[in-house]
Amino acid sequence: MPGNKKPTSVSGSSAVNGTWVTCYVGLGSNLSNELGSPIEHLQQAVAGMRDHKQIRKVSVSSFYASAPMGPQDQPDFINAVTGFETTLTAFELLAFCQQLEQQAKRARLRRWGERSLDVDILLYGDTQMMDPKLTIPHAGLPERNFVLIPLLELAPTLTIAGKPIDEYPKSTDWTDLKRLSSL
């Protein structure tokens, strides 16, 4: 029936009454614009996280160059993962991530196409959520080495949906991925 939403399923922790929740966010960029290069877009996003009053203890993986996941007629991506604690709810964090993308003047030209900045919530505490606007853990996490390898770098003992991160095959698959540097 039109207008009906999919059911929302939520379990796990969420920020309530100032509780700090550990989160991981993926960053990606392959498009320069008047605001900077892909590396500068990632650095500016990290600075925005560090400046946010409801985000603390920000850590950043090395930067990685990766082949595009979608159309191959675009530049390679620069990717990283940030880890931090926040009192933002999952949906407030989503709004903040979208704000960071807008500040980098992200334009959505085509699915999986080039972009100045992509900011994706990967994990939000131990929350498991399926909502039309937000899925946690991120739906593509198990298939993306450009997310799993930097995430493994930050949190080698992390468990995702009950499975240790190093048991995901893509967490050790360096195909089309190259470590560039630390922030």
Side-chain angles (χ1 to χ4, degrees):
M1 208 175 202
N4 283 351
K5 289 184 176 182
K6 288 183 188 175
T8 300
S9 169
V10 179
S11 67
S13 63
S14 60
V16 179
N17 298 326
T19 302
W20 292 92
V21 178
T22 300
C23 300
Y24 294 93
V25 171
L27 304 173
S29 175
N30 72 340
L31 191 62
S32 295
N33 63 19
E34 67 274 15
L35 299 176
S37 68
I39 288 176
E40 290 168 329
H41 290 304
L42 269 57
Q43 291 170 331
Q44 290 161 9
V46 170
M49 292 174 191
R50 288 188 169 138
D51 289 344
H52 198 288
K53 292 178 181 154
Q54 290 179 269
I55 294 176
R56 69 180 186 187
K57 299 182 181 178
V58 177
S59 59
V60 184
S61 72
S62 300
F63 285 6
Y64 295 80
S66 66
M69 196 171 121
Q72 297 298 299
D73 63 339
Q74 60 180 316
D76 284 353
F77 275 84
I78 305 298
N79 296 101
V81 169
T82 61
F84 53 83
E85 293 179 352
T86 186
T87 57
L88 295 169
T89 66
F91 286 99
E92 289 169 338
L93 181 58
L94 175 62
F96 176 65
C97 291
Q98 291 170 341
Q99 178 186 354
L100 291 172
E101 292 175 345
Q102 290 169 357
Q103 288 171 347
K105 294 190 176 183
R106 175 174 174 168
R108 296 177 192 270
L109 305 175
R110 58 184 171 160
R111 182 182 169 107
W112 293 337
E114 48 280 292
R115 62 203 73 165
S116 55
L117 184 62
D118 188 33
V119 184
D120 290 330
I121 299 172
L122 304 173
L123 299 166
Y124 181 90
D126 60 358
T127 297
Q128 293 185 25
M129 169 190 299
M130 286 189 69
D131 182 272
K133 293 183 180 182
L134 182 60
T135 299
I136 300 173
H138 188 283
L141 187 60
E143 294 86 36
R144 297 178 177 171
N145 68 342
F146 59 86
V147 173
L148 284 170
I149 288 174
L151 186 55
L152 180 66
E153 176 186 330
L154 284 183
T157 61
L158 185 66
T159 299
I160 304 168
K163 183 175 178 179
I165 187 171
D166 61 358
E167 290 184 14
Y168 286 88
K170 292 289 186 175
S171 71
T172 58
D173 179 359
W174 284 81
T175 303
D176 295 327
L177 191 68
K178 178 183 174 188
R179 180 179 292 154
L180 299 177
S181 67
S182 298
L183 180 62

